[in-house]
Amino acid sequence: MKSLPSKSLLLFTASLLPASLLAATSPITTDDIMRFESLSNPVISDNGKVLAVAVSPDRGDSRGLVKNLTTKKEFSVKGGTKPKVSHDGRYVVFVDKVPLLVSEKASAKEKKKLKPGIVLVDTSTGSELRYERVKSFEFNETGSHIAIRYEAEDKKKDAKAKDKAESSKKDSKVEDYDKGNTLELVSLNNLKSTTFKDVTAFTFDKSGKHLALAINNIATDKHELRLVTLADNTAKIVHSLKQQQLGSLALSDDGKYLGFTYGDAQQAPFGREYLLSLFNIASGQVTPTVTSKDWTLNRYAKLRFSDDSQRLFFGRVPQVSQQIELAKVEKEADLYDQNIITDARALRVWHGDDPRIKPHEVKQYKKELKRTYLAVLHVAGNNLVQLADLQVPDMKVAQQTRYALASSDLPYRKMITWAGFYRDFYLVDLNTGRKTPLLTQQSSGAEPLLSPNEKFVAYYLHGNIFLYEVAKDRRTNISKNLDVSFADEDHDYPSNAPGYGFGPWIADDSGLLIYDKYDIWQLNTLSFDTFNLTAGKGRKERIQYRLEGLVNDKNYPSVLANNEKVLLQGYSDISKGDGFYQAQVGAAGVTKLIAGDYKLKVLARSKDAQTIVFSKEQYELFPDLYTAQYSTAQTATRQTDLDKQRRAYNWGTSELVHWTNGDGKPLDGVLIKPSNYIEGQRYPVLVYFYRFMSDRLHAFPQMKINHRPNFAWFADNGYAIFLPDIRFEVGYPGDSSVQALTSGVQHLIDIGIADPQAVGIQGHSWGGYQTAFAVTKTNIFKAAVTGAPVSNMTSAYSGIRHGSGLARQFQYETGQSRIGESLFKSPQKYIENSPVFYVERIKTPMMIMFGDKDDAVPWEQGVEMYLAMRRAGKDVVFLQYQDEPHHLKKYPNKLDYSIRMMEYFDHYLKGKPAPEWLIQGEAYTEYKKAD
């Protein structure tokens, strides 16, 4: 495989040769799409020396790819997915998936027993060690060891082995939650292993000193804390308990303390109450934490030390109780016992004052069951402080030592149904638990930002940026004197526009970076002065600048040094292309490193080095991986060449088109020309859309079989594909969509691309709604395929999103459907925007697709459209895929839909003979079930 010379920008861009200059032979088929490989989950070692990525076809078995960036060695790992790299890059682990053929041949019962394994790969030699039936695995922080926890053994009855049968019988009395697994600890220095049985929990410390294990076996009353010293792999029992099941574990980062929970092993796990103790590793002393009559621990109490090892965070609950059991009929009198009879009822009571509607409550039940309320143990004084509570239940703790942010959506749970999501935010003192209100009824998507040194909280509100000074309890509108809005300028929903977010803080809380649509602003937190870090070039040149390539660690938010040089990604609103730029904290201006007609995505950054991993793509260029130094992204080295797959086929080209909407506003879109395009020839056109699509100009087409048309396949089959932008008007989403669609299609007709008698349209979900609505307003489309469309807003308004259990009302009043008012206040708008009421106008053949377990749009919306068109005598066919959600998941269904979609458009747009299913449908048939 050729690598790009790191100092040659000329060679870096040479890969952008047009497809017409490359050899192309084979037409694209569905078989090609199924076998086409893509890259996923790229990771790089902390030292920046090893890159690993999964290479996966759309259907079939994956392979892992490992590249040693220092030695240039490369290894392929059969079956490898989801890579993880050790700290020093010496080893990579891939999940070893069950081969597709094995899975497909297995019965439903056999499939439940199929479990993945892992592959441990030496990145210097390529040697592999494979481990089967792995439940979980974890490298320690220093990369010296890996812990592998196995699935429970597949025990088989052995009539001859009486002792095994008795043991199995004993095990059956223990709930699965309490059963341990075998854990293998592998020393990566010499690959020697130590095995431990009955492990229910394990944890490494970050210093690389220890592994802690909770070992539980209720049948033998063995409950042990074991500590493994990683320097010599010696293990010792440091604490034993009688009839006390060990729960969660945490090791302090400095390796001094081990926190653990434990509870009565004779109690069922559901209602078991736990206690917390702290083990001092040096002295061997165990110190129980103080208990409280108001708060206790359950099995969901996860433990986590702060980085400085001074605080132990964990969750508590007000009380623990066993799960309620219903009485059963056991004697004759029970047959007539009113309470026993009614206990067997299947009833859910929906009350008008319920905070959540019942389906949402049901969906949230398991999450609420696991909810705990954060507390903190200050280790030095064994002082325990309850932080979250029943009124303010949610907290996010980073590495600050004094304060944390908390929030509550409790006051707004009822109004979620129609108004969307809101929260109250608080600043919580970690020493006392005192909560200071920060924001009331703030959009859940506009969380405030606490500075690393806890001096400030930054937040966005109604187009402005505010800074709250913690010590002075003072708020300042930072942006009020700036001549730019920080609200989303493209927001076309009936709700308050969100902001563009924040960049990192600057060292010592001295500053903060803030985004508007195009530029980056630097705030001085001492003077409250702001200046435009990108010198206004973003807005002037319509380039959207954002910081990229920073170390991505949720526990360690990035903090920039004063005068630090940073990498920016710039997206051009004009060319739709990306670039990498450099800026310097404290100085206005940007320097271009590389920019052009392609899309760039930063995918990974090494924690302890300057290496970044990014992809570069065009419609005619596969998004292969490149590595570069953070400060010199223009001198990148290409690390993969999956584009060679594309070069085997004819490939279309993409270009940007502009036109004027019916309301006089300019619009953009993407035109993908067919393979072997001939200038002046008209082509059948497939319109695919959702909202903004022009940013896909340089996107490589997704080579997958799914609910979308495969662009490369359609282009190679003689179609032009049109991806228009849609800009909506609140209250009139249907009409504003039709304006954009018809004006865009007319433009393609006017410039000689589109055959006016061969324009088709396909959309899914929100795009499916627009498709169904459009054909009630225009006859410009000669065939329509609509997936999961809302057809009747009056009935969909009070429907349920079965995936989340949420009501759909907020989508219409404040969200995507953009009506802006309730059904009761504006019934006419709901009718006017509903295609089902206007089916008599439709002259376009329509194919409707729904999964009958759709978890977002009630599939009955498809039934309504089908029945209305059927009653009106229109050309309609309805594809009902059984047991499928909003997006098809089962591969046979995805492939079937893709084939039928192509056949449908081929018939109506290209005049090919109609397939039998389109002529006369398909009769219902039941097939013999497999044994």
Side-chain angles (χ1 to χ4, degrees):
M1 183 175 296
K2 293 183 178 180
S3 295
L4 198 69
S6 60
K7 295 183 179 181
S8 177
L9 178 57
L10 177 62
L11 290 180
F12 178 69
T13 54
S15 61
L16 302 182
L17 289 173
S20 59
L21 299 182
L22 300 172
T25 55
S26 307
I28 296 174
T29 67
T30 53
D31 184 76
D32 297 321
I33 299 170
M34 288 190 280
R35 296 175 186 273
F36 200 96
E37 291 183 324
S38 299
L39 298 169
S40 61
N41 303 115
V43 292
I44 191 165
S45 60
D46 291 350
N47 60 13
K49 295 181 179 180
V50 172
L51 171 68
V53 65
V55 185
S56 307
D58 189 40
R59 180 171 173 81
D61 299 326
S62 301
R63 59 186 173 94
L65 177 64
V66 179
K67 293 204 69 173
N68 190 311
L69 304 183
T70 302
T71 65
K72 309 301 181 186
K73 290 182 179 179
E74 180 178 319
F75 308 106
S76 182
V77 181
K78 183 179 179 181
T81 62
K82 301 178 181 178
K84 289 187 178 180
V85 188
S86 64
H87 170 74
D88 57 3
R90 175 70 190 278
Y91 286 94
V92 172
V93 169
F94 289 95
V95 173
D96 186 13
K97 289 181 64 177
V98 176
L100 179 63
L101 181 60
V102 174
S103 177
E104 288 290 305
K105 290 175 66 176
S107 65
K109 186 176 181 180
E110 290 171 336
K111 283 182 180 180
K112 292 180 180 179
K113 297 180 180 180
L114 297 175
K115 303 294 181 182
I118 62 170
V119 189
L120 181 66
V121 184
D122 186 322
T123 62
S124 60
T125 66
S127 62
E128 299 178 0
L129 288 174
R130 291 182 178 260
Y131 304 82
E132 297 181 351
R133 296 180 59 81
V134 174
K135 185 180 182 68
S136 63
F137 65 92
E138 183 180 334
F139 284 116
N140 73 327
E141 194 77 10
T142 61
S144 65
H145 290 74
I146 184 172
I148 304 169
R149 190 177 179 190
Y150 292 95
E151 294 281 358
E153 293 180 10
D154 187 14
K155 296 183 178 179
K156 298 179 180 179
K157 292 183 179 179
D158 187 348
K160 296 180 180 180
K162 185 178 179 181
D163 55 335
K164 289 185 179 181
E166 289 176 354
S167 174
S168 178
K169 189 175 180 181
K170 284 183 179 179
D171 285 349
S172 66
K173 296 178 181 178
V174 180
E175 294 194 28
D176 287 343
Y177 182 86
D178 281 336
K179 291 180 181 178
N181 302 77
T182 297
L183 181 140
E184 185 175 354
L185 177 66
V186 182
S187 172
L188 297 177
N189 294 325
N190 52 23
L191 296 181
K192 290 184 177 180
S193 297
T194 307
T195 300
F196 302 90
K197 301 285 188 180
D198 302 319
V199 176
T200 55
F202 71 95
T203 186
F204 288 108
D205 62 26
K206 289 188 177 180
S207 61
K209 296 178 181 178
H210 299 112
L211 166 70
L213 302 168
I215 293 178
N216 291 287
N217 189 319
I218 291 177
T220 60
D221 195 23
K222 180 170 68 174
H223 306 281
E224 300 171 349
L225 272 180
R226 293 194 193 180
L227 198 63
V228 181
T229 301
L230 298 178
D232 56 10
N233 295 322
T234 57
K236 64 178 179 179
I237 301 171
V238 296
H239 192 59
S240 295
L241 295 166
K242 289 293 183 182
Q243 295 186 352
Q244 295 290 311
Q245 181 82 354
L246 290 161
S248 298
L249 302 177
L251 278 165
S252 61
D253 289 357
D254 59 10
K256 292 181 179 180
Y257 296 103
L258 169 60
F260 63 96
T261 64
Y262 53 97
D264 186 351
Q266 302 307 306
Q267 291 287 325
F270 187 96
R272 181 184 295 144
E273 190 170 6
Y274 284 77
L275 297 172
L276 171 66
S277 288
L278 203 61
F279 175 74
N280 187 310
I281 295 174
S283 67
Q285 181 180 356
V286 176
T287 305
T289 59
V290 295
T291 58
S292 165
K293 65 175 183 175
D294 298 319
W295 295 94
T296 187
L297 286 79
N298 64 8
R299 60 176 171 162
Y300 301 115
K302 304 300 181 185
L303 312 180
R304 181 174 71 84
F305 278 95
S306 60
D307 277 5
D308 59 11
S309 303
Q310 297 301 305
R311 291 166 298 285
L312 175 61
F313 294 98
F314 58 97
R316 297 201 293 180
V317 291
Q319 62 182 18
V320 180
S321 59
Q322 290 294 351
Q323 193 168 16
I324 299 172
E325 292 187 57
L326 299 177
K328 298 178 181 178
V329 174
E330 295 181 351
K331 55 185 184 295
E332 181 76 18
D334 295 342
L335 294 172
Y336 308 97
D337 186 306
Q338 176 176 299
N339 292 328
I340 293 178
I341 296 171
T342 56
D343 275 353
R345 67 191 178 275
L347 172 69
R348 292 172 182 169
V349 178
W350 298 41
H351 193 282
D353 290 329
D354 285 342
R356 293 183 170 119
I357 63 171
K358 266 301 175 284
H360 190 208
E361 183 183 345
V362 171
K363 288 290 183 180
Q364 293 291 310
Y365 178 76
K366 289 185 178 179
K367 180 180 178 181
E368 291 298 326
L369 196 66
K370 297 179 181 180
R371 179 188 288 279
T372 59
Y373 300 83
L374 194 69
V376 61
L377 175 69
H378 295 275
V379 175
N382 197 28
N383 178 37
L384 197 157
V385 180
Q386 187 62 42
L387 301 174
D389 55 36
L390 296 176
Q391 287 71 46
V392 185
D394 301 313
M395 286 197 65
K396 289 187 177 180
V397 176
Q399 295 307 322
Q400 287 89 347
T401 61
R402 177 68 188 277
Y403 294 105
L405 292 175
S407 67
S408 174
D409 68 345
L410 294 177
Y412 313 110
R413 284 187 177 175
K414 186 175 181 180
M415 62 186 283
I416 285 173
T417 301
W418 60 87
F421 302 86
Y422 294 91
R423 286 182 171 270
D424 294 335
F425 288 91
Y426 300 82
L427 187 68
V428 182
D429 190 318
L430 299 180
N431 293 329
T432 65
R434 180 176 176 269
K435 300 174 181 65
T436 302
L438 275 177
L439 295 166
T440 301
Q441 199 172 335
Q442 177 82 339
S443 170
S444 295
E447 295 185 10
L449 188 67
L450 177 63
S451 65
N453 289 3
E454 307 163 271
K455 296 177 183 178
F456 305 99
V457 178
Y459 61 92
Y460 165 87
L461 186 63
H462 301 319
N464 285 294
I465 304 298
F466 291 83
L467 195 67
Y468 172 73
E469 297 174 84
V470 175
K472 297 180 180 179
D473 188 24
R474 184 173 69 182
R475 301 165 193 261
T476 303
N477 186 337
I478 299 301
S479 59
K480 65 179 180 180
N481 295 323
L482 299 177
D483 58 352
V484 62
S485 172
F486 289 87
D488 185 343
E489 296 177 25
D490 297 306
H491 188 73
D492 55 6
Y493 299 85
S495 60
N496 293 325
Y500 289 98
F502 299 102
W505 290 91
I506 300 171
D508 301 320
D509 287 3
S510 62
L512 173 67
L513 299 186
I514 305 165
Y515 300 134
D516 70 19
K517 179 176 181 178
Y518 294 107
D519 287 301
I520 305 174
W521 299 75
Q522 182 174 332
L523 163 67
N524 184 315
T525 56
L526 297 178
S527 65
F528 298 155
D529 291 334
T530 56
F531 75 94
N532 197 310
L533 184 70
T534 47
K537 290 184 66 175
R539 190 164 294 275
K540 181 179 179 181
E541 299 176 2
R542 290 176 58 190
I543 297 176
Q544 299 175 12
Y545 289 112
R546 297 294 183 263
L547 263 73
E548 275 291 359
L550 301 173
V551 175
N552 183 20
D553 190 329
K554 63 182 180 180
N555 293 322
Y556 299 91
S558 297
V559 176
L560 303 177
N562 286 297
N563 304 317
E564 180 177 345
K565 290 185 177 180
V566 292
L567 179 69
L568 309 181
Q569 180 166 338
Y571 167 74
S572 171
D573 256 0
I574 299 172
S575 72
K576 315 301 178 183
D578 284 337
F580 284 143
Y581 301 80
Q582 192 174 79
Q584 184 173 350
V585 175
V590 293
T591 301
K592 182 173 74 173
L593 303 179
I594 180 173
D597 292 333
Y598 38 74
K599 184 179 286 291
L600 301 170
K601 295 179 184 176
V602 178
L603 302 171
R605 159 77 187 268
S606 54
K607 288 185 179 180
D608 302 328
Q610 294 284 309
T611 310
I612 60 171
V613 181
F614 66 91
S615 65
K616 176 185 175 191
E617 64 185 292
Q618 290 180 308
Y619 181 82
E620 302 166 72
L621 182 69
F622 180 89
D624 277 303
L625 300 184
Y626 296 80
T627 58
Q629 290 300 295
Y630 177 73
S631 58
T632 55
Q634 72 275 23
T635 58
T637 301
R638 184 173 181 166
Q639 301 294 352
T640 63
D641 186 18
L642 269 71
D643 188 57
K644 62 186 177 184
Q645 303 171 100
R646 178 198 61 81
R647 297 195 293 266
Y649 305 109
N650 285 315
W651 212 260
T653 59
S654 68
E655 64 183 51
L656 192 63
V657 292
H658 312 279
W659 72 96
T660 301
N661 198 0
D663 58 6
K665 295 178 182 177
L667 285 176
D668 295 335
V670 177
L671 172 64
I672 299 170
K673 291 181 177 178
S675 305
N676 301 317
Y677 170 75
I678 300 173
E679 188 74 32
Q681 181 174 319
R682 290 187 181 271
Y683 290 88
V685 173
L686 175 60
V687 181
Y688 176 78
F689 65 108
Y690 196 86
R691 189 190 178 207
F692 296 153
M693 304 295 288
S694 59
D695 59 352
R696 303 190 187 193
L697 173 65
H698 304 301
F700 186 79
Q702 191 179 50
M703 289 299 286
K704 294 183 180 297
I705 298 289
N706 53 28
H707 62 278
R708 304 180 182 93
N710 183 284
F711 297 162
W713 185 30
F714 271 86
D716 202 34
N717 200 30
Y719 287 88
I721 300 104
F722 181 43
L723 315 176
D725 285 346
I726 311 293
R727 293 187 179 272
F728 295 96
E729 181 181 353
V730 172
Y732 306 95
D735 283 338
S736 49
S737 174
V738 172
Q739 276 194 12
L741 290 168
T742 54
S743 60
V745 169
Q746 188 60 51
H747 175 69
L748 296 190
I749 294 171
D750 292 344
I751 63 176
I753 296 290
D755 177 350
Q757 300 304 314
V759 180
I761 184 171
Q762 197 273 349
H764 189 85
S765 192
W766 179 236
Y769 156 73
Q770 295 174 74
T771 297
F773 184 87
V775 297
T776 70
K777 290 282 188 172
T778 177
N779 300 325
I780 202 170
F781 303 109
K782 304 309 174 186
V785 176
T786 172
V790 165
S791 62
N792 184 353
M793 288 192 175
T794 67
S795 58
Y797 171 78
S798 291
I800 303 293
R801 292 182 65 95
H802 294 294
S804 63
L806 290 167
R808 294 176 53 82
Q809 292 174 344
F810 75 91
Q811 293 181 235
Y812 296 87
E813 296 195 35
T814 64
Q816 185 180 61
S817 298
R818 296 174 172 86
I819 299 299
E821 296 179 286
S822 72
L823 175 63
F824 326 113
K825 286 189 176 180
S826 296
Q828 195 58 38
K829 282 186 180 178
Y830 283 80
I831 294 172
E832 290 172 355
N833 284 284
S834 297
V836 73
F837 291 104
Y838 306 103
V839 294
E840 288 190 328
R841 301 176 182 173
I842 297 175
K843 295 183 179 179
T844 305
M846 182 186 293
M847 182 165 75
I848 305 166
M849 189 282 289
F850 251 106
D852 60 14
K853 294 294 186 293
D854 195 306
D855 50 356
V857 178
W859 86 285
E860 291 83 2
Q861 288 291 309
V863 175
E864 285 194 46
M865 192 68 186
Y866 164 77
L867 289 176
M869 291 187 69
R870 187 174 186 268
R871 174 65 179 86
K874 302 301 179 179
D875 187 339
V876 63
V877 63
F878 185 22
L879 305 181
Q880 172 196 347
Y881 287 101
Q882 298 174 63
D883 299 315
E884 285 280 24
H886 191 56
H887 298 119
L888 299 178
K889 299 297 183 184
K890 300 173 184 176
Y891 209 91
N893 292 337
K894 292 192 290 185
L895 181 59
D896 181 82
Y897 180 43
S898 294
I899 293 171
R900 290 178 193 266
M901 192 190 306
M902 178 66 81
E903 290 177 339
Y904 192 81
F905 284 124
D906 276 355
H907 172 62
Y908 284 108
L909 305 187
K910 299 173 75 174
K912 288 189 176 183
E916 285 299 310
W917 64 268
L918 188 54
I919 296 172
Q920 59 187 23
E922 289 183 358
Y924 173 74
T925 304
E926 292 187 358
Y927 299 92
K928 180 181 177 181
K929 294 183 179 179
D931 294 334

